[in-house]
Amino acid sequence: MLAYTIRRLFQSGFVLVVMSLLVFAGVYAIGNPIELLVNPQADEVEKLRATVALGLDKPLYEQYIVFLKGAVTGDLGKSFVFGTPALTLILSKLPATLELAFCALFIAVCLGIPLGLYAGLKPDGVIGRSIMAGSIVGFSLPTFWVGLVLIMFFSVHLGWLPSNGRGETVSVLGLQVSFLTWDGLTHLFMPAFNLALLKLSLLIRLTRAGTREALLQDYVKFARAKGLPAGRVIGVHVLKNIMIPIVTVIGLEFGGLIAFSIITETIFAWPGSGKLLIDSINQLDRPVIVSYLMVIVFVFIVINFVVDMVYSVLDPRVRLGGGAGGGH
Amino acid sequence: MSAAAESPLKQLWGEFAASKLALVGLALLVSVVMIAVFAPLISPQNPYDLAQLDVMSGKLAPGEQAMSGKTHLLGTDDQGRDMLSGIFYGLRISLGVGVVSTVIALVIGLFFGLIAAYFGGWVDTLIMRIVDIQLSFPAILIALILLALLGQGADKIVIALITVQWAYYARTVRASALVEKQKEYIEAAQVLALSKARILFRHMLPNCLPPLIVVATVQVAHAISLEATLSFLGLGLPITEPSLGLLISNGFTYLMSGKYWISFYPGLALLITIVAINLVADQLRDVLNPRLKK
Amino acid sequence: MSAVLTVDNLRTHFFTKAGVVKAVDDVSFSIERGKILGLVGESGSGKSMTGYSIMGLIDAPGRIVEGRIVLNGQDITSLPMDQWRKLRGNRVAMIFQDPMMTLNPVLRIDTQMIEAVLAHHDISKAAARDRCRAALVQVGIPSPDERLASYPHQFSGGMRQRVAIAIALLNKPDVIIADEPTTALDVTIQGQILFEMQKLCRESGTALIWITHDLSVVAGLADEVAVMYAGKIVENGHVSAVLDKPLHPYTKGLLESVPSRNVKGTPLKQIPGMTPSLLSIGNGCAFRERCGYRSGECEVAPPISHPYPDRGVRCVHPQA
């Protein structure tokens, strides 16, 4: 287990280096770095000074090392718009995004797994079919349009829920969160549900397919033959088996939630990192874009690592070796 | 079997038509494509011709009559553009961008997938590593970043859509090509000393097509949805020739004041298009899959 | 001695879109305490479905449409599902064919064993664990404590089947139904398990129904044998009587297709044709299409007849 963990850590480190190379190539080599990194309003003299200051007259590999040093020490330039370090700016907006993503995940898991399980146990019933049909529609709906319809219905038509902002927040461990105040919750509900919808559909389909497959397995029949109550057969024997792919997908899709929060945050004016990214793109605030990119890459790599670890805990065949699960 | 007497295409159609839902999807899809193709002929108004737009009759509700005496079935937007015409033309652009980017991405993915499968070794490793890394990031994120780096415009958005799609095809083609590669007819072709290109494109390629068709159908829907999303975020096409996403984005400003139709109806058109494609794709997958297992 | 299990005119049918599949069609037999019944037939003959019927494990679109299953004097077919569940794994247990598939891969052995005890007995977890340990020892698994904490993938196929047998034995059932439990195993292990099962049943007085397609297994193991064909028992009786003097042409054909040392050098006989689809038998004897003794009378389904005491045969012209 320890060897496995260490190997995965090395792999993660490798991907991080590769991604930093790609970002570097994207920003410094393909585009004109001066244009990307210096305020577009700057004059020629200032641009020249910046070129030297940024070391852009040096060979590429040296530039990459400088870029890496900056990345490691947390210096990815200053925001043109806010004048503050870009990385700090992103990190200050990240908690709002994470809160939104976790709430969406919570909704998707709490609804998706039970619904999928039910649809898998009774695939031919009216309810089972309706759940499936609903998930197909949910899969087809573009996130931004759902957000729009939600606002149209709940904010404009019914006037029940606020359509923008985080509402009242409270400080927990130094982080501002919305979900602990009633006002915050009303602000959180629509964006979280909006973000959850795609993953909800995915989880329903995945759980249903897994359940149907598990029900055909001999071990389920054997569990029934032991005289176990139906609740234990489904709750332990079926569920524990389908949890392995589900947890993997949940983990991997969490990254997707953070990416899609860009859309949701824009629609609901949720002050998170995604909205900051869109604002920065519109205002050509490039250091912030670069910082967002590096932070997101880092978050993704951490997620992938954690998923792998959880996966190995869930599946004894991976955890206890045999080597079958390995591979590159 | 009696089915063997029928032509394969006819048999496929029979299996496809077995699902009523898929037929509904197909009918919807055909109508949408027809509307997109014949938009200039059937639209009440040319929404791009600024001379025809009258700001005075802007933001009319559905069914309301404009000053000119024209009735706007789905209302007008802030510039007095007839929504129905806007949607017809928007469909044209959305479908066009979706299909063009999908076709180009498919060709690129096909090429690299076949090469990876046929040559194996480090070529395979290099291509598939890139594919893996790319696919571990959500398409929307990659497209956004590309547009942020490249700037905006129709060509840029097509490039972004191609970039996010090609990897899916490369992976799909490689997987089925690897299966094909094991089969005897490829060995026979190699024994006959046919050229690599001929083996690749005349022999392996046709056998990789069924799964590719399924992936491509789904991807067109994804591409359309993605383009709409990017346009909605203000990173897509220019406002002068609005796609569905831009129409929706444009109407979003007026949503809070209750003028829902500017956003809602283009969204509905987008939704119908995507659902229709997905319904067809779902059934295609079921119809083509047993063939793959043989 | 009275029978511990009696199956009487059992019919289990599956109502599919293509038609009604009569998987088990008028099956009757009984078995006494400590005895072994060999239930023989080709795949699709309904022998496994007979086992599942007794367990109450028939799923939609199938159901028991007729007949009685009497366990210890109680007709269990009329029991509500929850009552039946309490018998399952408790009074009547089942072992499946493929030991690689029957144990849940993500649960430890102790979890899978203890739950089987706790489902039927209101005892402490520690007491249940003791019982599991004892059962593992009983089936010849060394260092049971270590084994209890293991996962199925850490066991060989033979070991897994022993665990499955131990689970079946846990609640000291009156009847065990073994559905080809040795088919997937090596021949040497097969022999060991056969021998041990026989011993365990004799010692504990558990009745054993051994489902198999292999007559040679039955020869060395069972007391009674019942031969199934297309959902019906076509012949039954004491094992030596049936094997020495088969009455039904199908049994005869099966015996002739078993390789044996006595007839070395002569080609093995085969039963011509294939098992018919259960949807297309129609009236009449299901075996008639493949039978060398076919006559006009075979177009009417033959009733079971008893040419000798304790022998039954479903054929209008039994061989002798």
Side-chain angles (χ1 to χ4, degrees), chain C residues 170-217:
Chain C
L170 272 177
N171 296 312
K172 305 194 167 40
D174 300 312
V175 180
I176 292 179
I177 301 165
D179 188 359
E180 307 215 32
T182 56
T183 314
L185 303 177
D186 287 347
V187 185
T188 45
I189 303 199
Q190 188 176 340
Q192 284 174 21
I193 286 187
L194 278 176
F195 174 73
E196 281 163 22
M197 280 301 283
Q198 197 173 22
K199 206 174 91 190
L200 287 170
C201 289
R202 299 268 188 261
E203 281 168 3
S204 61
T206 303
L208 179 63
I209 299 175
W210 194 277
I211 297 172
T212 180
H213 62 274
D214 190 348
L215 267 177
S216 56
V217 166

Side-chain angles (χ1 to χ4, degrees), chain C residues 5-23:
Chain C
L5 174 75
T6 304
V7 174
D8 208 8
N9 298 327
L10 180 69
R11 288 180 205 271
T12 302
H13 295 178
F14 286 77
F15 299 87
T16 67
K17 273 182 190 162
V20 178
V21 177
K22 298 175 179 175

Side-chain angles (χ1 to χ4, degrees), chain A residues 4 135 236:
Chain A
Y4 179 73
S135 88
V236 175

Side-chain angles (χ1 to χ4, degrees), chain B residues 28-284:
Chain B
L28 278 176
L29 185 58
V30 170
S31 336
V32 167
V33 171
M34 286 305 199
I35 289 173
V37 170
F38 296 111
L41 300 178
I42 55 175
S43 297
Q45 185 195 59
N46 180 356
Y48 301 156
D49 184 0
L50 294 175
Q52 285 192 31
L53 301 184
D54 178 8
V55 185
M56 292 302 287
S57 26
K59 294 179 268 182
L60 290 177
E64 236 179 284
Q65 217 173 33
M67 309 261 274
S68 57
K70 263 193 202 159
T71 308
H72 295 285
L73 206 58
L74 297 183
T76 59
D77 71 359
D78 52 332
Q79 294 170 304
R81 185 183 280 133
D82 176 51
M83 284 316 296
L84 189 66
S85 311
I87 289 171
F88 284 177
Y89 274 77
L91 262 181
R92 202 174 154 85
I93 293 177
S94 290
L95 272 181
V97 168
V99 170
V100 167
S101 63
T102 300
V103 168
I104 299 177
L106 191 145
V107 171
I108 296 174
L110 191 66
F111 179 74
F112 283 108
L114 275 182
I115 294 217
Y118 188 78
F119 291 100
W122 69 267
V123 178
D124 185 27
T125 312
L126 180 69
I127 294 176
M128 293 326 287
R129 212 38 8 144
I130 296 172
V131 166
D132 282 348
I133 292 182
Q134 194 191 317
L135 289 184
S136 69
F137 291 88
I140 177 88
L141 192 65
I142 294 176
L144 265 175
I145 296 303
L146 266 177
L147 287 176
L149 292 177
L150 293 175
Q152 293 167 27
D155 52 339
K156 309 276 170 44
I157 202 161
V158 170
I159 291 176
L161 290 178
I162 292 169
T163 312
V164 299
Q165 285 189 75
W166 78 277
Y168 291 99
Y169 300 112
R171 183 190 260 180
T172 311
V173 168
R174 176 180 173 270
S176 44
L178 277 183
V179 175
E180 287 304 316
K181 202 181 162 189
Q182 305 301 323
K183 293 191 180 159
E184 284 170 16
Y185 73 93
I186 295 295
E187 219 170 288
Q190 280 169 336
V191 169
L192 287 172
L194 298 181
S195 79
K196 277 184 178 153
R198 200 180 157 78
I199 293 175
L200 270 174
F201 293 106
R202 289 303 300 275
H203 294 266
M204 276 166 82
L205 176 63
N207 287 290
C208 301
L209 283 180
L212 208 56
I213 293 170
V214 175
V215 175
T217 326
V218 179
Q219 281 301 323
V220 172
H222 277 175
I224 291 173
S225 175
L226 191 55
E227 182 273 320
T229 306
L230 293 170
S231 293
F232 177 78
L233 293 174
L235 298 170
L237 297 163
I239 189 81
T240 45
E241 298 191 354
S243 71
L244 291 177
L246 207 61
L247 286 174
I248 298 168
S249 168
N250 189 28
F252 185 51
T253 332
Y254 304 101
L255 190 67
M256 294 311 286
S257 50
K259 300 188 170 42
Y260 68 92
W261 60 90
I262 309 178
S263 263
F264 183 77
Y265 289 117
L268 203 61
L270 179 69
L271 183 66
I272 290 172
T273 310
I274 295 173
V275 169
I277 297 175
N278 280 348
L279 285 177
V280 171
D282 249 23
Q283 183 69 0
L284 264 186

Side-chain angles (χ1 to χ4, degrees), chain A residues 37-97:
Chain A
L37 294 173
V38 179
N39 195 329
Q41 274 105 48
D43 62 13
E44 282 306 314
V45 182
E46 203 174 320
K47 276 187 184 172
L48 202 69
R49 187 150 28 99
T51 310
V52 179
L54 289 167
L56 293 175
D57 47 346
K58 298 203 177 89
L60 263 183
Y61 72 91
E62 267 183 51
Q63 289 186 35
Y64 176 62
I65 291 171
V66 171
F67 170 78
L68 263 193
K69 264 189 197 156
V72 169
T73 54
D75 178 15
L76 291 167
K78 278 188 178 175
S79 161
F80 299 152
V81 178
F82 299 94
T84 52
L87 196 62
T88 320
L89 195 61
I90 293 283
L91 291 180
S92 71
K93 299 282 186 183
L94 205 57
T97 300

Side-chain angles (χ1 to χ4, degrees), chain A residues 166-170 177-188:
Chain A
R166 280 185 89 174
E168 194 185 324
T169 59
V170 287
V177 295
S178 295
F179 74 97
L180 290 176
T181 68
W182 176 247
D183 184 51
L185 262 185
T186 57
H187 280 83
L188 184 59

Side-chain angles (χ1 to χ4, degrees), chain A residues 117-135:
Chain A
L117 199 61
Y118 187 90
L121 292 173
K122 303 222 158 98
D124 297 321
V126 178
I127 300 178
R129 280 167 191 266
S130 313
I131 293 173
M132 264 322 271
S135 88

